[in-house]
Amino acid sequence: MDTKSTNVETSIEFAIYNALDRISLLQEADIRALTNEYGEWLSASEKEIEILVIEYLNDLK
């Protein structure tokens, strides 16, 4: 893995942790609204997310 892909993965990981921290601050009704709107993304399996990251990294080349 080259430095560019490592930096991208680190940035994605950081963004995900920030998003999870922000979600934890939401009130119950807001969490439900977020889940209704983005449920398909929130319930994606780890394998599906890895595929998205790999495809993104391949597009950068």
Side-chain angles (χ1 to χ4, degrees):
M1 187 179 330
D2 62 22
T3 303
K4 188 174 187 177
S5 62
T6 301
N7 290 340
V8 170
E9 288 177 355
T10 300
S11 295
I12 292 169
E13 184 178 0
F14 183 75
I16 290 170
Y17 284 133
N18 275 340
L20 292 173
D21 284 342
R22 293 179 70 195
I23 288 171
S24 70
L25 300 174
L26 296 175
Q27 300 297 321
E28 185 176 332
D30 295 325
I31 291 172
R32 273 185 279 147
L34 182 70
T35 303
N36 288 337
E37 185 68 27
Y38 297 103
E40 63 192 41
W41 289 93
L42 298 173
S43 64
S45 71
E46 186 175 326
K47 179 115 177 129
E48 291 171 316
I49 291 172
E50 285 176 5
I51 290 169
L52 288 173
V53 171
I54 290 168
E55 288 177 357
Y56 176 77
L57 293 175
N58 286 335
D59 289 345
L60 290 177
K61 295 179 182 178

Short mmCIF file of all heavy atoms in Angstrom, two decimals:
data_model
loop_
_atom_site.label_atom_id
_atom_site.label_comp_id
_atom_site.label_asym_id
_atom_site.label_seq_id
_atom_site.Cartn_x
_atom_site.Cartn_y
_atom_site.Cartn_z
N MET A 1 0.85 -1.17 0.00
CA MET A 1 0.00 0.00 0.00
C MET A 1 0.90 1.23 0.00
O MET A 1 1.85 1.32 0.75
CB MET A 1 -0.88 -0.04 1.24
CG MET A 1 -1.91 1.02 1.25
SD MET A 1 -3.03 1.03 2.68
CE MET A 1 -3.17 -0.62 3.20
N ASP A 2 0.57 2.18 -0.84
CA ASP A 2 1.40 3.38 -0.91
C ASP A 2 0.92 4.42 0.10
O ASP A 2 -0.11 4.29 0.73
CB ASP A 2 1.45 3.94 -2.32
CG ASP A 2 0.09 4.36 -2.84
OD1 ASP A 2 -0.80 4.62 -2.02
OD2 ASP A 2 -0.08 4.45 -4.05
N THR A 3 1.69 5.49 0.23
CA THR A 3 1.40 6.53 1.20
C THR A 3 0.07 7.21 0.92
O THR A 3 -0.69 7.52 1.83
CB THR A 3 2.53 7.58 1.20
OG1 THR A 3 3.75 6.92 1.47
CG2 THR A 3 2.29 8.63 2.25
N LYS A 4 -0.24 7.43 -0.36
CA LYS A 4 -1.48 8.10 -0.73
C LYS A 4 -2.70 7.32 -0.26
O LYS A 4 -3.62 7.89 0.32
CB LYS A 4 -1.53 8.31 -2.24
CG LYS A 4 -2.68 9.17 -2.69
CD LYS A 4 -2.56 9.45 -4.18
CE LYS A 4 -3.62 10.44 -4.63
NZ LYS A 4 -3.48 10.78 -6.03
N SER A 5 -2.71 6.00 -0.47
CA SER A 5 -3.86 5.21 -0.05
C SER A 5 -3.93 5.12 1.48
O SER A 5 -5.02 5.10 2.04
CB SER A 5 -3.83 3.82 -0.67
OG SER A 5 -2.70 3.10 -0.28
N THR A 6 -2.77 5.10 2.15
CA THR A 6 -2.76 5.09 3.60
C THR A 6 -3.37 6.38 4.14
O THR A 6 -4.17 6.35 5.08
CB THR A 6 -1.33 4.93 4.14
OG1 THR A 6 -0.80 3.71 3.64
CG2 THR A 6 -1.31 4.88 5.65
N ASN A 7 -3.03 7.51 3.54
CA ASN A 7 -3.59 8.79 3.97
C ASN A 7 -5.09 8.84 3.73
O ASN A 7 -5.83 9.38 4.56
CB ASN A 7 -2.90 9.95 3.24
CG ASN A 7 -1.47 10.15 3.68
OD1 ASN A 7 -1.07 9.71 4.74
ND2 ASN A 7 -0.70 10.82 2.86
N VAL A 8 -5.53 8.30 2.62
CA VAL A 8 -6.97 8.28 2.32
C VAL A 8 -7.70 7.42 3.34
O VAL A 8 -8.73 7.83 3.87
CB VAL A 8 -7.22 7.76 0.88
CG1 VAL A 8 -8.70 7.50 0.65
CG2 VAL A 8 -6.70 8.74 -0.15
N GLU A 9 -7.17 6.26 3.64
CA GLU A 9 -7.81 5.37 4.62
C GLU A 9 -7.86 6.03 5.98
O GLU A 9 -8.86 5.93 6.69
CB GLU A 9 -7.08 4.04 4.68
CG GLU A 9 -7.32 3.19 3.44
CD GLU A 9 -6.54 1.89 3.47
OE1 GLU A 9 -5.75 1.67 4.40
OE2 GLU A 9 -6.73 1.09 2.55
N THR A 10 -6.79 6.69 6.37
CA THR A 10 -6.77 7.39 7.66
C THR A 10 -7.81 8.50 7.69
O THR A 10 -8.51 8.67 8.69
CB THR A 10 -5.36 7.97 7.93
OG1 THR A 10 -4.42 6.90 7.94
CG2 THR A 10 -5.31 8.70 9.26
N SER A 11 -7.94 9.24 6.60
CA SER A 11 -8.93 10.31 6.52
C SER A 11 -10.35 9.76 6.61
O SER A 11 -11.21 10.34 7.29
CB SER A 11 -8.77 11.09 5.22
OG SER A 11 -7.54 11.76 5.20
N ILE A 12 -10.60 8.66 5.92
CA ILE A 12 -11.93 8.05 5.96
C ILE A 12 -12.24 7.55 7.37
O ILE A 12 -13.33 7.77 7.89
CB ILE A 12 -12.04 6.90 4.94
CG1 ILE A 12 -11.98 7.45 3.52
CG2 ILE A 12 -13.30 6.08 5.15
CD1 ILE A 12 -11.83 6.41 2.44
N GLU A 13 -11.28 6.91 7.99
CA GLU A 13 -11.46 6.42 9.35
C GLU A 13 -11.76 7.57 10.31
O GLU A 13 -12.67 7.50 11.14
CB GLU A 13 -10.21 5.66 9.80
CG GLU A 13 -10.34 5.03 11.17
CD GLU A 13 -9.10 4.24 11.55
OE1 GLU A 13 -8.14 4.17 10.76
OE2 GLU A 13 -9.09 3.69 12.67
N PHE A 14 -11.02 8.66 10.18
CA PHE A 14 -11.23 9.83 11.02
C PHE A 14 -12.63 10.40 10.81
O PHE A 14 -13.33 10.74 11.77
CB PHE A 14 -10.15 10.89 10.69
CG PHE A 14 -10.22 12.11 11.55
CD1 PHE A 14 -9.78 12.09 12.85
CD2 PHE A 14 -10.73 13.28 11.03
CE1 PHE A 14 -9.85 13.22 13.65
CE2 PHE A 14 -10.80 14.42 11.81
CZ PHE A 14 -10.36 14.39 13.13
N ALA A 15 -13.06 10.49 9.56
CA ALA A 15 -14.39 11.02 9.25
C ALA A 15 -15.49 10.14 9.83
O ALA A 15 -16.49 10.65 10.36
CB ALA A 15 -14.56 11.15 7.74
N ILE A 16 -15.31 8.83 9.76
CA ILE A 16 -16.31 7.91 10.31
C ILE A 16 -16.40 8.05 11.82
O ILE A 16 -17.50 8.13 12.38
CB ILE A 16 -16.00 6.45 9.91
CG1 ILE A 16 -16.25 6.27 8.41
CG2 ILE A 16 -16.83 5.46 10.72
CD1 ILE A 16 -15.76 4.95 7.86
N TYR A 17 -15.26 8.12 12.51
CA TYR A 17 -15.29 8.29 13.96
C TYR A 17 -15.93 9.62 14.35
O TYR A 17 -16.69 9.69 15.32
CB TYR A 17 -13.88 8.18 14.55
CG TYR A 17 -13.37 6.77 14.62
CD1 TYR A 17 -12.10 6.45 14.17
CD2 TYR A 17 -14.15 5.73 15.13
CE1 TYR A 17 -11.62 5.15 14.22
CE2 TYR A 17 -13.68 4.43 15.19
CZ TYR A 17 -12.41 4.16 14.73
OH TYR A 17 -11.95 2.87 14.79
N ASN A 18 -15.63 10.68 13.60
CA ASN A 18 -16.27 11.98 13.89
C ASN A 18 -17.77 11.90 13.71
O ASN A 18 -18.53 12.44 14.51
CB ASN A 18 -15.69 13.07 12.99
CG ASN A 18 -14.44 13.67 13.55
OD1 ASN A 18 -14.17 13.58 14.73
ND2 ASN A 18 -13.66 14.30 12.70
N ALA A 19 -18.21 11.24 12.64
CA ALA A 19 -19.65 11.10 12.38
C ALA A 19 -20.32 10.31 13.50
O ALA A 19 -21.40 10.69 13.97
CB ALA A 19 -19.88 10.42 11.04
N LEU A 20 -19.69 9.24 13.95
CA LEU A 20 -20.27 8.44 15.04
C LEU A 20 -20.35 9.25 16.33
O LEU A 20 -21.34 9.16 17.07
CB LEU A 20 -19.45 7.17 15.24
CG LEU A 20 -19.53 6.14 14.11
CD1 LEU A 20 -18.56 5.00 14.35
CD2 LEU A 20 -20.95 5.63 13.94
N ASP A 21 -19.32 10.04 16.60
CA ASP A 21 -19.35 10.91 17.79
C ASP A 21 -20.49 11.91 17.72
O ASP A 21 -21.20 12.15 18.70
CB ASP A 21 -18.02 11.66 17.95
CG ASP A 21 -16.90 10.79 18.48
OD1 ASP A 21 -17.19 9.70 19.04
OD2 ASP A 21 -15.74 11.20 18.35
N ARG A 22 -20.68 12.50 16.53
CA ARG A 22 -21.75 13.48 16.36
C ARG A 22 -23.12 12.83 16.45
O ARG A 22 -24.06 13.42 17.00
CB ARG A 22 -21.58 14.21 15.03
CG ARG A 22 -20.33 15.09 15.04
CD ARG A 22 -20.12 15.79 13.74
NE ARG A 22 -21.14 16.81 13.59
CZ ARG A 22 -21.41 17.41 12.45
NH1 ARG A 22 -20.75 17.10 11.36
NH2 ARG A 22 -22.34 18.32 12.39
N ILE A 23 -23.26 11.62 15.93
CA ILE A 23 -24.54 10.91 16.01
C ILE A 23 -24.91 10.65 17.47
O ILE A 23 -26.07 10.75 17.85
CB ILE A 23 -24.49 9.60 15.19
CG1 ILE A 23 -24.49 9.92 13.70
CG2 ILE A 23 -25.67 8.69 15.54
CD1 ILE A 23 -24.23 8.72 12.81
N SER A 24 -23.91 10.34 18.29
CA SER A 24 -24.18 10.04 19.69
C SER A 24 -24.73 11.25 20.44
O SER A 24 -25.31 11.11 21.51
CB SER A 24 -22.93 9.51 20.38
OG SER A 24 -21.97 10.53 20.54
N LEU A 25 -24.57 12.45 19.90
CA LEU A 25 -25.07 13.67 20.54
C LEU A 25 -26.52 13.98 20.18
O LEU A 25 -27.15 14.85 20.79
CB LEU A 25 -24.19 14.87 20.16
CG LEU A 25 -22.73 14.78 20.54
CD1 LEU A 25 -21.96 15.97 19.97
CD2 LEU A 25 -22.56 14.68 22.05
N LEU A 26 -27.08 13.27 19.19
CA LEU A 26 -28.43 13.54 18.72
C LEU A 26 -29.48 13.06 19.71
O LEU A 26 -29.27 12.11 20.47
CB LEU A 26 -28.68 12.85 17.38
CG LEU A 26 -27.84 13.33 16.20
CD1 LEU A 26 -28.12 12.46 14.98
CD2 LEU A 26 -28.09 14.79 15.89
N GLN A 27 -30.63 13.71 19.67
CA GLN A 27 -31.78 13.29 20.46
C GLN A 27 -32.44 12.11 19.75
O GLN A 27 -32.22 11.87 18.56
CB GLN A 27 -32.78 14.44 20.59
CG GLN A 27 -32.22 15.67 21.27
CD GLN A 27 -31.82 15.40 22.70
OE1 GLN A 27 -32.50 14.68 23.42
NE2 GLN A 27 -30.69 15.98 23.13
N GLU A 28 -33.28 11.39 20.47
CA GLU A 28 -33.89 10.16 19.94
C GLU A 28 -34.64 10.38 18.62
O GLU A 28 -34.49 9.61 17.67
CB GLU A 28 -34.84 9.56 20.98
CG GLU A 28 -35.41 8.23 20.55
CD GLU A 28 -36.28 7.61 21.63
OE1 GLU A 28 -36.07 7.88 22.82
OE2 GLU A 28 -37.18 6.85 21.25
N ALA A 29 -35.43 11.44 18.53
CA ALA A 29 -36.20 11.70 17.30
C ALA A 29 -35.27 11.97 16.13
O ALA A 29 -35.54 11.55 14.99
CB ALA A 29 -37.15 12.87 17.51
N ASP A 30 -34.18 12.67 16.38
CA ASP A 30 -33.21 12.97 15.32
C ASP A 30 -32.48 11.71 14.86
O ASP A 30 -32.18 11.55 13.68
CB ASP A 30 -32.21 14.02 15.78
CG ASP A 30 -32.87 15.35 16.06
OD1 ASP A 30 -33.83 15.70 15.34
OD2 ASP A 30 -32.44 16.05 16.99
N ILE A 31 -32.18 10.83 15.80
CA ILE A 31 -31.53 9.56 15.45
C ILE A 31 -32.45 8.73 14.56
O ILE A 31 -32.02 8.16 13.57
CB ILE A 31 -31.13 8.76 16.71
CG1 ILE A 31 -30.00 9.49 17.43
CG2 ILE A 31 -30.71 7.34 16.37
CD1 ILE A 31 -29.65 8.90 18.79
N ARG A 32 -33.74 8.70 14.90
CA ARG A 32 -34.71 7.97 14.08
C ARG A 32 -34.81 8.56 12.68
O ARG A 32 -34.84 7.84 11.68
CB ARG A 32 -36.09 7.95 14.73
CG ARG A 32 -36.26 6.78 15.69
CD ARG A 32 -37.65 6.72 16.23
NE ARG A 32 -37.62 7.72 17.32
CZ ARG A 32 -38.62 8.49 17.69
NH1 ARG A 32 -39.77 8.38 17.13
NH2 ARG A 32 -38.51 9.36 18.64
N ALA A 33 -34.83 9.88 12.58
CA ALA A 33 -34.90 10.54 11.27
C ALA A 33 -33.66 10.23 10.44
O ALA A 33 -33.75 9.94 9.25
CB ALA A 33 -35.05 12.05 11.45
N LEU A 34 -32.51 10.26 11.09
CA LEU A 34 -31.25 9.95 10.40
C LEU A 34 -31.25 8.50 9.92
O LEU A 34 -30.87 8.21 8.78
CB LEU A 34 -30.07 10.19 11.33
CG LEU A 34 -28.69 9.95 10.75
CD1 LEU A 34 -28.35 11.02 9.72
CD2 LEU A 34 -27.65 9.94 11.84
N THR A 35 -31.70 7.60 10.77
CA THR A 35 -31.76 6.18 10.42
C THR A 35 -32.73 5.94 9.27
O THR A 35 -32.43 5.16 8.36
CB THR A 35 -32.17 5.34 11.64
OG1 THR A 35 -31.25 5.58 12.70
CG2 THR A 35 -32.17 3.86 11.32
N ASN A 36 -33.87 6.62 9.29
CA ASN A 36 -34.83 6.48 8.19
C ASN A 36 -34.25 6.98 6.88
O ASN A 36 -34.46 6.37 5.83
CB ASN A 36 -36.12 7.22 8.49
CG ASN A 36 -36.94 6.54 9.56
OD1 ASN A 36 -36.81 5.34 9.78
ND2 ASN A 36 -37.78 7.29 10.23
N GLU A 37 -33.53 8.09 6.93
CA GLU A 37 -33.00 8.69 5.72
C GLU A 37 -31.80 7.94 5.16
O GLU A 37 -31.67 7.74 3.96
CB GLU A 37 -32.62 10.15 6.00
CG GLU A 37 -32.17 10.92 4.80
CD GLU A 37 -33.28 11.18 3.79
OE1 GLU A 37 -34.46 11.25 4.20
OE2 GLU A 37 -32.97 11.32 2.60
N TYR A 38 -30.90 7.52 6.05
CA TYR A 38 -29.64 6.91 5.62
C TYR A 38 -29.47 5.47 6.08
O TYR A 38 -28.36 4.97 6.15
CB TYR A 38 -28.46 7.75 6.12
CG TYR A 38 -28.45 9.14 5.55
CD1 TYR A 38 -28.88 10.21 6.31
CD2 TYR A 38 -28.05 9.37 4.25
CE1 TYR A 38 -28.88 11.50 5.79
CE2 TYR A 38 -28.06 10.64 3.71
CZ TYR A 38 -28.47 11.70 4.49
OH TYR A 38 -28.49 12.95 3.96
N GLY A 39 -30.57 4.81 6.39
CA GLY A 39 -30.52 3.46 6.91
C GLY A 39 -29.74 2.47 6.07
O GLY A 39 -29.01 1.63 6.60
N GLU A 40 -29.86 2.58 4.74
CA GLU A 40 -29.15 1.63 3.88
C GLU A 40 -27.64 1.79 4.00
O GLU A 40 -26.90 0.83 3.87
CB GLU A 40 -29.59 1.78 2.43
CG GLU A 40 -29.28 3.13 1.84
CD GLU A 40 -29.98 3.35 0.51
OE1 GLU A 40 -31.15 2.98 0.39
OE2 GLU A 40 -29.34 3.93 -0.37
N TRP A 41 -27.17 3.00 4.24
CA TRP A 41 -25.74 3.23 4.42
C TRP A 41 -25.29 2.80 5.81
O TRP A 41 -24.20 2.25 5.98
CB TRP A 41 -25.41 4.72 4.23
CG TRP A 41 -25.52 5.15 2.83
CD1 TRP A 41 -26.62 5.70 2.23
CD2 TRP A 41 -24.53 5.06 1.81
NE1 TRP A 41 -26.36 5.97 0.92
CE2 TRP A 41 -25.08 5.59 0.64
CE3 TRP A 41 -23.22 4.59 1.80
CZ2 TRP A 41 -24.37 5.66 -0.54
CZ3 TRP A 41 -22.51 4.66 0.62
CH2 TRP A 41 -23.09 5.19 -0.54
N LEU A 42 -26.13 3.08 6.81
CA LEU A 42 -25.76 2.77 8.19
C LEU A 42 -25.74 1.27 8.46
O LEU A 42 -25.04 0.81 9.35
CB LEU A 42 -26.74 3.45 9.16
CG LEU A 42 -26.75 4.97 9.11
CD1 LEU A 42 -27.86 5.51 9.98
CD2 LEU A 42 -25.40 5.54 9.55
N SER A 43 -26.50 0.51 7.66
CA SER A 43 -26.56 -0.93 7.89
C SER A 43 -25.68 -1.71 6.92
O SER A 43 -25.76 -2.93 6.88
CB SER A 43 -28.01 -1.41 7.79
OG SER A 43 -28.49 -1.20 6.47
N ALA A 44 -24.86 -1.03 6.15
CA ALA A 44 -23.98 -1.72 5.21
C ALA A 44 -22.99 -2.58 5.97
O ALA A 44 -22.52 -2.22 7.04
CB ALA A 44 -23.23 -0.71 4.34
N SER A 45 -22.70 -3.73 5.40
CA SER A 45 -21.74 -4.63 6.05
C SER A 45 -20.32 -4.10 5.86
O SER A 45 -20.05 -3.26 5.00
CB SER A 45 -21.84 -6.03 5.44
OG SER A 45 -21.32 -6.02 4.12
N GLU A 46 -19.42 -4.60 6.68
CA GLU A 46 -18.02 -4.19 6.59
C GLU A 46 -17.45 -4.51 5.21
O GLU A 46 -16.70 -3.73 4.64
CB GLU A 46 -17.21 -4.89 7.67
CG GLU A 46 -15.77 -4.42 7.76
CD GLU A 46 -15.03 -5.04 8.92
OE1 GLU A 46 -15.65 -5.28 9.96
OE2 GLU A 46 -13.82 -5.29 8.78
N LYS A 47 -17.85 -5.63 4.64
CA LYS A 47 -17.37 -6.02 3.31
C LYS A 47 -17.82 -5.01 2.25
O LYS A 47 -17.05 -4.63 1.38
CB LYS A 47 -17.88 -7.42 2.97
CG LYS A 47 -17.48 -7.92 1.63
CD LYS A 47 -16.59 -9.10 1.75
CE LYS A 47 -16.24 -9.65 0.40
NZ LYS A 47 -14.85 -9.81 0.21
N GLU A 48 -19.08 -4.57 2.33
CA GLU A 48 -19.59 -3.59 1.37
C GLU A 48 -18.83 -2.27 1.49
O GLU A 48 -18.52 -1.64 0.48
CB GLU A 48 -21.09 -3.35 1.59
CG GLU A 48 -21.95 -4.54 1.21
CD GLU A 48 -23.39 -4.35 1.64
OE1 GLU A 48 -23.62 -3.90 2.78
OE2 GLU A 48 -24.26 -4.66 0.83
N ILE A 49 -18.53 -1.86 2.70
CA ILE A 49 -17.80 -0.61 2.89
C ILE A 49 -16.37 -0.75 2.38
O ILE A 49 -15.85 0.16 1.74
CB ILE A 49 -17.82 -0.20 4.38
CG1 ILE A 49 -19.25 0.20 4.76
CG2 ILE A 49 -16.86 0.94 4.65
CD1 ILE A 49 -19.47 0.45 6.22
N GLU A 50 -15.75 -1.89 2.61
CA GLU A 50 -14.40 -2.12 2.09
C GLU A 50 -14.39 -2.02 0.57
O GLU A 50 -13.47 -1.47 -0.01
CB GLU A 50 -13.87 -3.48 2.53
CG GLU A 50 -13.46 -3.53 3.98
CD GLU A 50 -13.02 -4.92 4.42
OE1 GLU A 50 -12.95 -5.84 3.58
OE2 GLU A 50 -12.74 -5.07 5.61
N ILE A 51 -15.42 -2.54 -0.08
CA ILE A 51 -15.51 -2.47 -1.54
C ILE A 51 -15.60 -1.02 -2.00
O ILE A 51 -14.94 -0.61 -2.95
CB ILE A 51 -16.71 -3.30 -2.05
CG1 ILE A 51 -16.43 -4.79 -1.86
CG2 ILE A 51 -17.02 -2.99 -3.51
CD1 ILE A 51 -17.60 -5.69 -2.08
N LEU A 52 -16.40 -0.21 -1.30
CA LEU A 52 -16.50 1.21 -1.65
C LEU A 52 -15.15 1.90 -1.53
O LEU A 52 -14.77 2.69 -2.39
CB LEU A 52 -17.51 1.91 -0.74
CG LEU A 52 -18.98 1.58 -0.96
CD1 LEU A 52 -19.82 2.22 0.14
CD2 LEU A 52 -19.44 2.03 -2.32
N VAL A 53 -14.41 1.60 -0.47
CA VAL A 53 -13.11 2.22 -0.26
C VAL A 53 -12.13 1.78 -1.35
O VAL A 53 -11.42 2.59 -1.93
CB VAL A 53 -12.55 1.89 1.14
CG1 VAL A 53 -11.10 2.35 1.28
CG2 VAL A 53 -13.41 2.53 2.22
N ILE A 54 -12.12 0.50 -1.66
CA ILE A 54 -11.22 -0.02 -2.69
C ILE A 54 -11.53 0.61 -4.04
O ILE A 54 -10.64 1.03 -4.77
CB ILE A 54 -11.29 -1.57 -2.76
CG1 ILE A 54 -10.67 -2.17 -1.50
CG2 ILE A 54 -10.62 -2.09 -4.02
CD1 ILE A 54 -10.93 -3.65 -1.33
N GLU A 55 -12.82 0.71 -4.38
CA GLU A 55 -13.21 1.33 -5.65
C GLU A 55 -12.77 2.80 -5.69
O GLU A 55 -12.28 3.29 -6.70
CB GLU A 55 -14.71 1.21 -5.88
CG GLU A 55 -15.15 -0.21 -6.22
CD GLU A 55 -16.65 -0.34 -6.37
OE1 GLU A 55 -17.39 0.64 -6.15
OE2 GLU A 55 -17.08 -1.46 -6.68
N TYR A 56 -12.92 3.48 -4.57
CA TYR A 56 -12.51 4.88 -4.49
C TYR A 56 -11.01 5.01 -4.69
O TYR A 56 -10.55 5.85 -5.45
CB TYR A 56 -12.95 5.49 -3.15
CG TYR A 56 -12.46 6.91 -2.96
CD1 TYR A 56 -13.10 7.95 -3.61
CD2 TYR A 56 -11.37 7.19 -2.16
CE1 TYR A 56 -12.67 9.26 -3.46
CE2 TYR A 56 -10.93 8.49 -2.01
CZ TYR A 56 -11.59 9.51 -2.65
OH TYR A 56 -11.14 10.80 -2.51
N LEU A 57 -10.24 4.16 -4.04
CA LEU A 57 -8.79 4.21 -4.16
C LEU A 57 -8.36 3.90 -5.59
O LEU A 57 -7.42 4.52 -6.11
CB LEU A 57 -8.13 3.23 -3.19
CG LEU A 57 -8.28 3.57 -1.71
CD1 LEU A 57 -7.70 2.46 -0.85
CD2 LEU A 57 -7.63 4.89 -1.38
N ASN A 58 -9.03 2.97 -6.24
CA ASN A 58 -8.71 2.65 -7.63
C ASN A 58 -9.02 3.82 -8.55
O ASN A 58 -8.30 4.05 -9.53
CB ASN A 58 -9.47 1.41 -8.09
CG ASN A 58 -8.89 0.14 -7.49
OD1 ASN A 58 -7.72 0.09 -7.13
ND2 ASN A 58 -9.70 -0.89 -7.41
N ASP A 59 -10.05 4.60 -8.24
CA ASP A 59 -10.39 5.76 -9.05
C ASP A 59 -9.36 6.86 -8.92
O ASP A 59 -9.21 7.70 -9.81
CB ASP A 59 -11.77 6.29 -8.67
CG ASP A 59 -12.90 5.39 -9.12
OD1 ASP A 59 -12.66 4.49 -9.97
OD2 ASP A 59 -14.02 5.55 -8.61
N LEU A 60 -8.64 6.89 -7.81
CA LEU A 60 -7.62 7.92 -7.60
C LEU A 60 -6.39 7.71 -8.47
O LEU A 60 -5.65 8.64 -8.74
CB LEU A 60 -7.17 7.94 -6.13
CG LEU A 60 -8.19 8.45 -5.12
CD1 LEU A 60 -7.63 8.34 -3.71
CD2 LEU A 60 -8.60 9.88 -5.42
N LYS A 61 -6.18 6.47 -8.89
CA LYS A 61 -4.97 6.14 -9.69
C LYS A 61 -5.07 6.63 -11.10
O LYS A 61 -6.03 6.87 -11.68
CB LYS A 61 -4.73 4.64 -9.68
CG LYS A 61 -4.39 4.14 -8.29
CD LYS A 61 -4.18 2.66 -8.32
CE LYS A 61 -3.87 2.17 -6.91
NZ LYS A 61 -3.70 0.76 -6.84
#
